[in-house]
Amino acid sequence: MIEIFLKTLPFFCLIGLGFGAGRSGFFPPEATAYLTKFVFYFALSAMLFGFAANLSMADLLNPRAAAAYLWACGALYVLVMAIAFLRRARMEEALIEAHCSIIGNTGFLGVPLLVVLLGPDSVPMVLLILTIDLIVFSSLFTIIITLSRDGRVDSDLPRKLLVAVAKNPMVMAMVLGLVWAATGFAMPGIANDFLTLLGAAATPCALFAIGASLADKKVERLAIVSWLSFGKLVLHPALTAFAALVLFGVDPQSAGVLIAAAALPVAGNVFILAQHYNAGPARVSATILVSTLVSIATVPVVIAWVTSF
């Protein structure tokens, strides 16, 4: 476990460097926003395209793994919402807390971290999880909150969801990469070099951006934040392990990637949703900060465990 911790430490040191730069004012929020845009629209998309271009749809179609991950996420989603309702939280607050418990930072942190630590064979599972998070649960969140506020689902909602998915560069990078792979054509040398060079910027820039984005976050409502962080860092991987290893019989290597990905801290895009719908953005912001800090200790433990499968 110490060896795994030492391997993860540089990743979290980069996050710490970004946090220090943001906290000191040397890297202002405007700079963080533009760096995040660069990673989201260019560097990370290039990396994901490169990964997907070397796969096929068959590599991603793992029904047992998808079912296990969906079951674990669904079970935790219901549990967190139920506990929020017991506190008499509003529907929007209960929904965003449930979202916090299952949406990990797979894009900015998980892609570079898991591929390095678990090897290139982890790529299909990482992309599968990204697809489920970005399409299934983002759509579910939008549908439920729209139904809660308007009392009905707008007939135009399917088109809006489709447009939102199409505008997400990570989704489109994976789709275009798979389309390229399906053609059977080799990637031209110049294009491959370009994508490799651009994609190489994703890891350091994404980790730095994560840290810088945490610099202005404060911890409020510590009891709720602690519960949500516990749900994301402990309950999510535990339920995923139960679903993958016991209920659905997922092969050990794929199960290990699912469990490790489930152990990642809360993703930053959950805060964007919370802010957009005015659904407890302060507690979501604090949960992102706390879960990221605590994950420095918990993620190596989980990865050390899954590598023993």
Side-chain angles (χ1 to χ4, degrees), residues 93 194 211 250:
E93 294 172 337
F194 168 76
V250 179

Side-chain angles (χ1 to χ4, degrees), residues 13-236:
C13 284
L14 267 172
I15 294 175
L17 183 65
F19 180 84
R23 196 73 170 177
S24 67
F26 181 78
F27 211 77
E30 294 80 8
T32 302
Y34 282 108
L35 180 60
T36 302
K37 279 188 177 182
F38 167 73
V39 174
F40 189 59
Y41 286 98
F42 299 101
L44 187 57
S45 296
M47 178 184 281
L48 291 173
F49 178 88
F51 286 156
N54 291 296
L55 299 174
S56 65
M57 282 303 298
D59 294 317
L60 290 179
L61 293 177
N62 189 327
R64 287 180 179 271
Y69 192 72
L70 285 167
W71 184 92
C73 291
L76 187 56
Y77 216 80
V78 171
L79 173 64
V80 173
M81 285 193 72
I83 291 175
F85 286 140
L86 288 175
R87 299 195 329 265
R88 301 185 182 278
R90 294 181 296 120
M91 169 61 84
E92 291 90 342
E93 294 172 337
L95 193 59
I96 202 68
E97 288 181 13
H99 215 59
C100 272
S101 70
I102 66 164
I103 303 299
N105 204 340
T106 310
F108 277 38
L109 179 58
V111 170
L113 181 68
L114 298 181
V115 173
V116 168
L117 295 179
L118 300 180
D121 290 340
S122 66
V123 169
M125 283 301 98
V126 174
L127 296 188
L128 175 64
I129 290 166
L130 267 176
T131 302
I132 291 173
D133 285 350
L134 294 173
I135 297 178
V136 176
F137 286 105
S138 292
S139 299
L140 178 66
F141 178 90
T142 304
I143 290 169
I144 294 177
I145 203 166
T146 300
L147 184 61
S148 170
R149 289 187 168 182
D150 301 340
R152 63 183 180 86
V153 175
D154 187 353
S155 60
D156 198 36
L157 185 60
R159 184 192 66 81
K160 292 177 180 177
L161 292 174
L162 188 61
V163 169
V165 169
K167 286 183 176 180
N168 189 305
M170 291 197 291
V171 174
M172 294 312 299
M174 290 188 287
V175 170
L176 293 175
L178 290 171
V179 169
W180 181 271
T183 66
F185 294 132
M187 186 72 65
I190 294 177
N192 189 61
D193 291 344
F194 168 76
L195 289 170
T196 301
L197 184 63
L198 181 56
T203 297
C205 291
L207 297 175
F208 189 95
I210 290 172
S213 68
L214 296 175
D216 61 350
K217 290 177 169 44
K218 299 178 181 178
V219 177
E220 300 176 6
R221 307 192 70 171
L222 186 58
I224 297 177
V225 169
S226 298
W227 154 241
L228 295 178
S229 299
F230 175 78
K232 183 67 198 73
L233 299 178
V234 178
L235 293 183
H236 194 201

